[in-house]
Amino acid sequence: MEKIILTGDRPTGKLHLGHYVGSLRRRVELQNSGEYDKIFVMIADAQALTDNADNPEKIRQNIIEVALDYLSVGLDPAKTTIFIQSQVPELTELAFYYMNLVTVSRVQRNPTVKTEIKMRNFEASIPVGFFCYPVSQASDITAFRATTVPVGEDQEPMIELTREIVNRFNHVYGPTLVEPEILLPSNAACLRLPGTDGKAKMSKSLGNCIYLSDTAKEVAKKVKSMYTDPLHLNISDPGHLEGNCPFIYLDAFCSEETFARHCSDFSSLQDLKDKYCAGGVGDGTVKKILISVLEEELAPIRARRAEYEKDIPAVFDILRKGSEEARKVAAATLDDVRRAMRINYFEDADLIAEQAKKYVK
Ligand code: TRP
């Protein structure tokens, strides 16, 4: 069986370091591993509209931001099909059929949807489209016959639902769809990178993000104001690593080999941690190392972004070509689905003959 990746992001803002360590960096590695036959990365504008119906302009403006972020981290349109969800209308039709295979109570139990309903104040009245987005996500995945979906842990319930839909569809209509596997980040620090304020998640609405498109100066400023250990008042005090952002970020960004390039005062990241905990290492020292580590990773991303920014129409062209390509693949799956459901009436000569016979007098 072919190995195929599909994943994507809602274009509601610029992408940040949480996206980077949680998924983007991995996607580029997977792309360059040569292990996958096809890779699709989707800008999920239709899904973004399910909770931004009154603000389509926000989504419209952020298509290019996300596209630039993708290209600048190293997604290569020669290897990866980058496309826009709404430009593949086949996905909507698939979702309409899948909705019949899912119960309302099943979606109500989805913990990610539950959290979002609370966050958006949808408790009193949930838009139907929003409620159905997990089903539409199953279309996104199955339309491309994806075997592998690299995403963050909050997306686990969606992949689980997709698997259920696939099983149910194949059971009812015959084997047609491919059951996908989730691919989670391997490192705990990457699973959910905290915001610079120490809150559980980096999130635009909390204003605690470092963006991939931030300048070196902005990154340094944000690192310098990062939440550390509130009990570590004097350099000589023993420090604590729990919830200490610069250390969590170092775990996410810095292997032991990388560490040696950025710091010669400590023999290893572990040595820095030990000495910090014992007392005698200031937060400023840790932050300085982190700034240097981040710069090494972000400088090439920034440079690539600057190149693509010079020709925005060319970026839209990449998205147009990707969307055309994606549409062909999704249309082929939709054909299979219609055939399996036997709603391909005009291709079904037997049906036509059989119906004609019924009416022969
Ligand atoms: N739900 C994802 C997010 O919020 C975006 C998304 C839409 C997606 N369809 C998908 C991710 C299919 C993986 C597979 O970022």
Side-chain angles (χ1 to χ4, degrees), residues 184-320:
L184 289 169
S186 44
N187 161 341
C190 300
L191 219 46
R192 186 158 290 182
L193 193 74
T196 51
D197 57 358
K199 296 235 169 73
K201 205 176 162 183
M202 204 173 256
S203 140
K204 188 178 26 149
S205 51
L206 298 173
N208 61 6
C209 300
I210 297 178
Y211 292 102
L212 288 167
S213 49
D214 280 349
T215 62
K217 229 170 139 181
E218 285 166 329
V219 173
K221 193 168 159 223
K222 289 179 182 181
V223 171
K224 282 180 194 152
S225 68
M226 239 178 210
Y227 178 86
T228 58
D229 170 11
L231 303 173
H232 188 232
L233 298 174
N234 303 302
I235 291 184
S236 56
D237 293 340
H240 301 84
L241 300 178
E242 181 105 346
N244 193 320
C245 287
F247 281 103
I248 299 173
Y249 282 51
L250 281 173
D251 281 336
F253 278 92
C254 188
S255 62
E256 284 294 356
E257 306 94 79
T258 328
F259 186 83
R261 276 208 301 283
H262 296 277
C263 172
S264 48
D265 296 342
F266 300 89
S267 63
S268 65
L269 179 52
Q270 190 55 51
D271 181 45
L272 171 69
K273 287 179 182 172
D274 291 344
K275 290 186 173 140
Y276 183 86
C277 291
V281 178
D283 288 327
T285 305
V286 185
K287 288 176 172 176
K288 222 165 109 194
I289 300 170
L290 177 60
I291 290 170
S292 162
V293 167
L294 286 179
E295 259 323 283
E296 182 180 70
E297 190 110 3
L298 294 178
I301 295 176
R302 226 176 268 129
R304 234 180 272 127
R305 195 177 221 278
E307 282 307 306
Y308 281 110
E309 281 176 357
K310 285 185 197 153
D311 195 352
I312 294 297
V315 176
F316 275 99
D317 233 32
I318 291 171
L319 298 177
R320 187 173 51 75

Side-chain angles (χ1 to χ4, degrees), residues 6-10 42 44 47 133 137 140-141 149 151 155:
L6 177 116
T7 186
D9 302 275
R10 297 182 191 176
M42 179 179 79
Q47 186 173 111
Y133 94 73
Q137 196 157 334
D140 304 336
I141 296 168
V149 186
V151 279
Q155 298 298 303

Side-chain angles (χ1 to χ4, degrees), residues 36-268:
Y36 290 86
D37 299 291
K38 286 192 204 119
I39 302 178
F40 298 92
V41 177
M42 179 179 79
I43 301 180
D45 64 332
Q47 186 173 111
L49 284 166
T50 67
D51 63 346
N52 286 283
D54 51 358
N55 197 3
E57 190 57 21
K58 174 167 116 190
I59 311 306
R60 188 167 176 264
Q61 292 300 328
N62 278 305
I63 301 272
I64 190 71
E65 291 295 341
V66 172
L68 285 168
D69 286 331
Y70 283 170
L71 294 165
S72 63
V73 297
L75 287 179
D76 173 359
K79 298 180 186 157
T80 294
T81 305
I82 304 174
F83 71 97
I84 305 178
Q85 186 182 26
S86 65
Q87 305 308 297
V88 184
E90 286 76 8
L91 298 174
T92 322
E93 185 174 336
L94 278 178
F96 199 65
Y97 303 140
Y98 294 171
M99 282 178 202
N100 302 325
L101 306 175
V102 179
T103 63
V104 169
S105 65
R106 182 68 190 87
V107 178
Q108 271 166 341
R109 269 187 281 135
N110 182 314
T112 302
V113 171
K114 274 193 191 163
T115 314
E116 285 175 308
I117 288 174
K118 269 200 208 106
M119 262 167 48
R120 311 267 187 291
N121 285 322
F122 279 166
E123 277 124 325
S125 59
I126 306 171
V128 174
F130 172 80
F131 190 73
C132 295
Y133 94 73
V135 181
S136 120
Q137 196 157 334
S139 315
D140 304 336
I141 296 168
T142 54
F144 299 94
R145 301 187 178 92
T147 51
T148 312
V149 186
V151 279
E153 134 192 84
D154 61 325
Q155 298 298 303
E156 218 163 357
M158 314 303 164
I159 314 306
E160 202 39 53
L161 183 71
T162 303
R163 292 163 64 90
E164 286 173 28
I165 291 174
V166 166
N167 284 314
R168 186 134 167 79
F169 189 101
N170 289 346
H171 177 74
V172 177
Y173 304 111
T176 312
L177 302 174
V178 176
E179 201 178 320
E181 308 259 359
I182 191 169
L183 190 62
L184 289 169
S186 44
N187 161 341
C190 300
L191 219 46
R192 186 158 290 182
L193 193 74
T196 51
D197 57 358
K199 296 235 169 73
K201 205 176 162 183
M202 204 173 256
S203 140
K204 188 178 26 149
S205 51
L206 298 173
N208 61 6
C209 300
I210 297 178
Y211 292 102
L212 288 167
S213 49
D214 280 349
T215 62
K217 229 170 139 181
E218 285 166 329
V219 173
K221 193 168 159 223
K222 289 179 182 181
V223 171
K224 282 180 194 152
S225 68
M226 239 178 210
Y227 178 86
T228 58
D229 170 11
L231 303 173
H232 188 232
L233 298 174
N234 303 302
I235 291 184
S236 56
D237 293 340
H240 301 84
L241 300 178
E242 181 105 346
N244 193 320
C245 287
F247 281 103
I248 299 173
Y249 282 51
L250 281 173
D251 281 336
F253 278 92
C254 188
S255 62
E256 284 294 356
E257 306 94 79
T258 328
F259 186 83
R261 276 208 301 283
H262 296 277
C263 172
S264 48
D265 296 342
F266 300 89
S267 63
S268 65

